[in-house]
Amino acid sequence: MIERLFINAAAADGSPLCIAVADGKIVSMGPDVPVVPGADVVDLQGWVVLPGFVDGHIHLDKSFVGDVWHPHQPANSLRERLAVEKQALAQAKPMADRAQALLAQAAAFGTVAMRSHVDVDATTGLENLHTIMQVRDQWRGRMHIELVAFPQAGVMSCPGTVQILEAAARAGVDVVGGIDPTTLDGDADSQLDAVFGIAEKHSVKIDIHLHEPGLQGVEQLHRIAARTRAAGLGGRVAVSHAYSLGDVTPDVLDRIAAALAQAGVAIMTNAPGNRAFPPVLRLREAGVNVFSGNDNIQDAWWPYGTGDMLQRAMLVGYRSGFYTDESLHTALHLVSSAGAAVLGLSGYGLAVGNEATFVAVKAPNAAAAVASAPAERRLIRKGRVQDLVSERSSN
């Protein structure tokens, strides 16, 4: 029995849309409003309806959201940056409080799922991971959170970290991470042996931070693609950033894109402001799943970010030169369905039979929503309109 009707909505192309909901699921969608005596009626006033946003790459353990303003401190190397971060976090509010504040802010923008990388290494052990796991438990039913054990300080270059990654997998982490196997660790084969070995042994996914430039980075991607094929892990491996894909010539790009597509390796980009980044359209044309995330938000790495994935879609589109409605829809796909596929979300998206969780945005269509990222939004979770102001203030 239909319990709630969302009327006067706009579909992605701007056409009229009505959504009928029962038991928290979408039971019908179309331009016509059915006659359903007794159903609650919610008038969306012509706002466009979009799938809930998916943040495919965030760091809940690092952000200063919910804390005082922390002025950015310059650093000349990765190791120096790690030292700056460690000192800043020691002076910040408790991690759980900051993570709660960032989650509430992201939810208020319409994010319904995310993949969070959490630092683990031989010095901190699993302390950060356990904290964020507790926060995740408190958000069950409101935010789907997938956790990555992220070896920020290196795998082989930080002795004992392999054992910590193993322990994280045993503790129930969803994904095992890696980082710059050559430039940071100096031993690509050993790092990839460890990461892929843990993934296969514990049936977890893989997400590797890769900042290595040019042909060196592309070489690394070929290694990752080959190992993914050999292990039969297609669809379970992602590479975050992969800056090198924006550095190389078209012929080199086409070869690695084909290898990534064949292996089923996804690429995450946040369209960073000061760096070449993967060419989204060319990779997608080759069959590579490209998704997006906010990455760092107001932390020791950079002062920018709000947690708004619609704004991230706008930034990806802006930096990629997306002007047509079709390409703007592609930017939206990066922050919704593409990320949902990487996280393995079931029942996601605007389709009959799926969970009635979506975002209404004050814009006439999806392209306009991406181009301007309007602030006025309403989140509908399982068919119920959420009071996002109250949700944010209660966390």
Side-chain angles (χ1 to χ4, degrees):
M1 174 179 144
I2 294 174
E3 301 160 353
R4 189 165 289 110
L5 289 174
F6 293 89
I7 66 171
N8 292 336
D13 62 0
S15 61
L17 180 65
C18 172
I19 300 175
V21 175
D23 295 324
K25 295 184 181 296
I26 299 172
V27 295
S28 71
M29 296 176 61
D32 299 321
V33 180
V35 177
V36 185
D40 292 336
V41 177
V42 180
D43 188 340
L44 292 180
Q45 302 176 308
W47 292 16
V48 65
V49 170
L50 308 176
F53 305 130
V54 179
D55 191 329
H57 188 118
I58 194 171
H59 294 265
L60 290 173
D61 57 329
K62 296 175 181 287
S63 176
F64 297 132
V65 170
D67 198 1
V68 299
W69 177 254
H70 289 249
H72 184 72
Q73 301 296 317
N76 297 314
S77 67
L78 175 59
R79 296 297 181 188
E80 189 177 328
R81 171 60 56 207
L82 294 176
V84 167
E85 178 183 54
K86 185 174 182 179
Q87 182 180 21
L89 289 174
Q91 299 169 352
K93 283 187 176 181
M95 181 180 295
D97 294 348
R98 292 181 283 108
Q100 290 277 7
L102 180 53
L103 278 163
Q105 190 161 295
F109 286 122
T111 293
V112 300
M114 60 175 58
R115 171 179 282 187
S116 176
H117 298 253
V118 183
D119 285 9
V120 300
D121 59 42
T123 57
T124 61
L126 300 183
E127 181 180 350
N128 294 351
L129 182 62
H130 287 151
T131 297
I132 300 301
M133 280 181 162
Q134 290 173 1
V135 172
R136 177 180 65 176
D137 289 343
Q138 294 167 14
W139 276 81
R140 288 193 190 280
R142 292 182 290 164
M143 182 80 71
H144 176 96
I145 304 173
E146 189 175 73
L147 297 181
V148 185
F150 174 43
Q152 174 76 80
V155 179
M156 313 314 299
S157 60
C158 185
T161 297
V162 173
Q163 290 74 24
I164 294 297
L165 290 174
E166 280 266 14
R170 290 194 299 270
V173 79
D174 307 286
V175 189
V176 63
I179 182 170
D180 297 335
T182 297
T183 56
L184 181 61
D185 260 1
D187 190 348
D189 287 336
S190 294
Q191 182 185 133
L192 295 178
D193 282 346
V195 170
F196 275 83
I198 293 169
E200 291 183 78
K201 180 179 178 181
H202 297 280
S203 297
V204 294
K205 293 185 273 191
I206 294 172
D207 194 325
I208 297 175
H209 280 60
L210 186 63
H211 313 93
E212 297 179 16
L215 293 176
Q216 182 181 34
V218 168
E219 248 181 67
Q220 210 71 264
L221 289 168
H222 276 294
R223 288 191 187 100
I224 292 168
R227 286 173 179 265
T228 301
R229 287 196 307 274
L233 290 174
R236 295 180 62 80
V237 176
V239 177
S240 291
H241 305 306
Y243 296 148
S244 59
L245 293 172
D247 295 336
V248 295
T249 57
D251 58 322
V252 173
L253 175 64
D254 288 345
R255 284 195 294 274
I256 184 56
L260 293 169
Q262 182 184 14
V265 176
I267 297 294
M268 191 294 302
T269 184
N270 66 324
N274 64 343
R275 186 69 173 80
F277 63 98
V280 172
L281 294 184
R282 195 156 187 145
L283 289 169
R284 283 169 56 93
E285 287 166 1
V288 179
N289 184 23
V290 185
F291 65 110
S292 190
N294 275 299
D295 196 12
N296 300 84
I297 297 174
Q298 295 180 31
D299 60 15
W301 294 80
W302 58 55
Y304 296 100
T306 63
D308 183 357
M309 285 305 294
L310 187 57
Q311 184 184 67
R312 182 60 50 185
M314 180 187 72
L315 291 171
V316 170
Y318 178 81
R319 290 222 59 213
S320 299
F322 289 173
Y323 302 132
T324 66
D325 281 15
E326 182 181 6
S327 57
L328 290 169
H329 287 182
T330 295
L332 176 63
H333 189 266
L334 263 64
V335 305
S336 55
S337 298
V342 171
L343 270 64
L345 300 182
S346 60
Y348 169 89
L350 291 168
V352 172
N354 284 349
E355 184 177 285
T357 296
F358 50 89
V359 186
V361 178
K362 190 177 182 181
N365 54 55
V370 172
S372 59
E376 292 187 71
R377 304 174 197 182
R378 302 174 81 179
L379 173 62
I380 292 83
R381 184 186 289 122
K382 296 181 180 179
R384 295 182 177 275
V385 180
Q386 305 299 296
D387 184 347
L388 296 179
V389 174
S390 296
E391 183 167 279
R392 180 184 287 185
S393 62
S394 67
N395 287 278

